[in-house]
Amino acid sequence: MHTQPFGHTGHDSSALIFGAFAVGFCDQAEADFLLSQLLDHGVNHIDTARSYGESELRIGPWMPAHRNDFFLATKTGERTYEGARREIHESLQRLHVDHVDLVQLHNLVDPTEWQTAMDAGGALQAALEAKEEGKVRFIGVTGHGLTVARMHLRSLQAFPFDAVLLPWNYVLAQEAQYSREFRQLCTECEKRGVAMQTIKGLVRRPWGGRTRNRTTWYQPLERQADIDMAVSWILGQPPLFLNSAGDPELLPAILNAASRFTAKPDDAIMESLVRDSEMATLFPA
């Protein structure tokens, strides 16, 4: 699997990042199998969060032997200094490590929460303190929804974050305002050397009234050929990274697709995927 610079961090990360929500609700044996698949396919970057069920607890037993094999990222959803400080320390304990490479302020899009996290006494202060103590190397910000790109731009104006994470897929790219703001964010990140991670790359449509048979909060693409196209569409836009979907049963197909990636599909191919799979936006205006 090809690698590329993860922003200005000095680390060459696999273009496919392991979205570790996938092991948040697994037993250790299943998690061990999935993590071994990462090594087999050359994935060298794990993205987890304190709020991802037991994800950190499942990754932790791997770290004593494999810490040097992975760029390790986690997240805190707390907005205050005390809350974020507590979660960062808990994450280190759960992951069996003395530091993580990246801690991210999780889903920071609500303006009121943003102000709390960014002000003195907020979560950013806790992340900076952890960095000064050598417990964190880099600091990032993540988010969901249609306002996330513009909020990430606001975050970058307020603080030199090292990485951002937000949704991106072909259907979202057809929404004019979101696409425009996403590309503005791309320009700013490229100028600053900020790593850009994308999520929701395998969205087929919202669940609606359908029976949920996956751990993802959207109905994902499931056929290998469809996953191939969706994965290749993202990976064909360097320096973007794709975080794998949060369902453990989909990971082999995603790894397969990323390992065989050659080129970005053209719009005609992607339009046929949208029609044939009846794809729809996850974030209706």
Side-chain angles (χ1 to χ4, degrees):
M1 189 173 302
H2 76 279
T3 62
Q4 57 195 30
F6 191 71
H8 57 213
T9 65
H11 187 264
D12 285 345
S13 292
S14 48
L16 181 74
I17 293 171
F18 177 54
F21 186 88
V23 295
F25 303 93
C26 296
D27 60 27
Q28 192 63 50
E30 185 177 5
D32 289 346
F33 172 76
L34 292 174
L35 291 165
S36 70
Q37 294 295 297
L38 305 183
L39 295 173
D40 291 344
H41 286 82
V43 174
N44 67 357
H45 189 135
I46 293 174
D47 181 76
T48 186
R50 180 62 183 81
S51 60
Y52 286 177
E54 297 188 340
S55 174
E56 292 177 333
L57 295 174
R58 297 292 168 256
I59 294 166
W62 272 70
M63 287 299 101
H66 296 285
R67 179 65 185 91
N68 292 333
D69 294 325
F70 296 105
F71 186 96
L72 183 60
T74 192
K75 310 181 189 77
T76 174
E78 293 289 335
R79 304 307 185 214
T80 66
Y81 166 82
E82 290 295 341
R85 182 176 183 275
R86 183 190 69 251
E87 282 204 340
I88 291 169
H89 283 265
E90 288 175 352
S91 289
L92 296 178
Q93 293 171 355
R94 287 155 62 95
L95 288 165
H96 300 183
V97 296
D98 60 6
H99 77 281
V100 291
D101 296 296
L102 175 68
V103 69
Q104 298 161 100
L105 306 187
H106 195 22
N107 197 25
L108 194 60
V109 293
D110 177 82
T112 301
E113 292 185 8
W114 186 94
Q115 199 65 55
T116 299
M118 299 294 287
D119 278 349
L124 179 59
Q125 181 181 340
L128 283 167
E129 181 183 277
K131 184 176 181 180
E132 291 169 359
E133 295 171 347
K135 296 172 182 175
V136 168
R137 295 177 61 217
F138 303 103
I139 302 172
V141 62
T142 80
H144 302 268
L146 290 176
T147 64
V148 60
R150 98 181 59 132
M151 289 303 295
H152 281 352
L153 281 167
R154 180 181 179 186
S155 293
L156 290 176
Q157 290 164 2
F159 179 79
F161 286 100
D162 302 297
V164 299
L165 180 152
L166 72 167
W168 187 237
N169 55 54
Y170 183 78
V171 172
L172 264 180
Q174 309 316 303
E175 299 196 17
Q177 182 170 342
Y178 187 87
S179 181
R180 181 172 60 254
E181 292 173 351
F182 183 92
R183 297 185 192 286
Q184 288 171 347
L185 179 63
C186 286
T187 299
E188 190 65 20
C189 286
E190 184 174 2
K191 181 171 68 175
R192 293 170 176 259
V194 175
M196 287 195 70
Q197 306 163 88
T198 67
I199 54 174
K200 308 296 184 282
L202 265 66
V203 171
R204 181 181 178 188
R205 57 195 175 194
W207 283 112
R210 303 173 186 87
T211 300
R212 298 191 177 213
N213 63 341
R214 298 291 181 188
T215 57
T216 48
W217 61 278
Y218 53 86
Q219 185 180 11
L221 298 168
E222 297 187 12
R223 295 180 299 190
Q224 184 69 62
D226 297 345
I227 291 173
D228 288 353
M229 285 187 276
V231 168
S232 293
W233 189 80
I234 299 287
L235 297 189
Q237 301 173 67
L240 298 184
F241 291 87
L242 172 62
N243 289 38
S244 61
D247 186 277
E249 294 182 3
L250 292 176
L251 183 62
I254 298 169
L255 291 170
N256 188 329
S259 296
R260 292 182 292 101
F261 163 72
T262 56
K264 179 185 175 186
D266 63 28
D267 286 351
I269 291 174
M270 295 305 294
E271 286 295 337
S272 69
L273 173 62
V274 172
R275 289 193 305 270
D276 295 345
S277 297
E278 299 178 323
M279 295 169 70
T281 182
L282 186 59
F283 306 114

